[in-house]
């Protein structure tokens, strides 16, 4: 089933928090208290990774509070996400499944990637690969 995530991305962009400057680091610190591991590079990549017991659970957009997370690990993530209720979480069954769609939107294109295919089904992996260094 195709899910349109355009409004989710708009909501993440519109969230009035210092995510890219401060809050993502606070999120990482709290995540560690719940035994999650957040991996990111200070230079270059727009996405961080969240792991639990050496299992990849998803991607965290470092520019805005948006996460693509594994639906099969929703229970493990629930407690952490309640600490940051402003984070937009998109749960998917498969990071490679082309079951997401993003409508063409100038603001999203400017923030995410001008190369990402819009108005057609894409996967989380597609979104990541088109915007990893954007």
């Amino acid at each position: 089933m195709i899910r349109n995530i355009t409004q989710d991305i708009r909501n993440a962009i519109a969230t009035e928090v210092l995510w890219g400057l401060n809050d993502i680091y606070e999120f990482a610190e709290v995540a560690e208290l719940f035994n999650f591991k957040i991996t990111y590079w200070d230079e270059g990549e727009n996405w961080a990774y969240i792991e639990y017991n050496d299992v990849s659970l998803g991607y965290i957009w470092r520019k805005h509070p948006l996460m693509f997370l594994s639906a099969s690990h929703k229970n493990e993530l629930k407690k952490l996400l309640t600490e940051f209720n402003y984070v937009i979480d998109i749960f998917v069954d498969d990071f490679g499944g082309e079951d997401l769609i993003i409508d063409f939107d100038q603001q999203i294109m400017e923030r995410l990637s001008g190369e990402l295919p819009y108005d057609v089904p894409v996967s989380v992996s597609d979104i990541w690969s088109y915007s990893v260094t954007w």
Side-chain angles (χ1 to χ4, degrees):
M1 183 170 155
I2 302 294
R3 177 177 171 199
N4 190 312
I5 61 168
T6 306
Q7 192 58 49
D8 293 321
I9 296 172
R10 285 181 188 143
N11 290 345
I13 291 170
T15 302
E16 297 289 332
V17 295
L18 296 174
W19 183 257
L21 299 174
N22 187 39
D23 291 353
I24 194 168
Y25 300 107
E26 180 183 343
F27 178 84
E29 288 175 15
V30 172
E32 287 180 14
L33 297 175
F34 289 103
N35 297 316
F36 292 97
K37 180 180 177 186
I38 308 295
T39 306
Y40 56 89
W41 291 268
D42 282 330
E43 302 295 325
E45 284 204 19
N46 288 323
W47 296 91
Y49 310 93
I50 185 167
E51 296 178 348
Y52 186 74
N53 292 333
D54 295 324
V55 174
S56 179
L57 302 184
Y59 300 94
I60 304 167
W61 193 14
R62 292 183 62 204
K63 292 183 177 184
H64 300 282
L66 175 74
M67 297 182 195
F68 292 101
L69 302 165
S70 171
S72 62
H73 293 89
K74 197 171 193 172
N75 287 336
E76 291 95 334
L77 292 158
K78 192 177 197 178
K79 194 181 241 187
L80 173 62
L81 294 174
T82 60
E83 296 287 322
F84 296 86
N85 60 358
Y86 59 85
V87 172
I88 307 298
D89 49 34
I90 299 173
F91 286 93
V92 296
D93 293 324
D94 176 10
F95 294 125
E98 293 182 342
D99 52 2
L100 304 175
I101 194 163
I102 303 170
D103 298 333
F104 179 81
D105 179 289
Q106 189 65 36
Q107 184 183 33
I108 293 173
M109 187 181 86
E110 289 170 1
R111 307 253 180 141
L112 196 56
S113 171
E115 301 297 318
L116 181 68
Y118 294 92
D119 300 319
V120 297
V122 295
S123 69
V124 172
S125 297
D126 292 335
I127 295 167
W128 175 85
S129 67
Y130 278 100
S131 63
V132 70
T133 59
W134 177 256

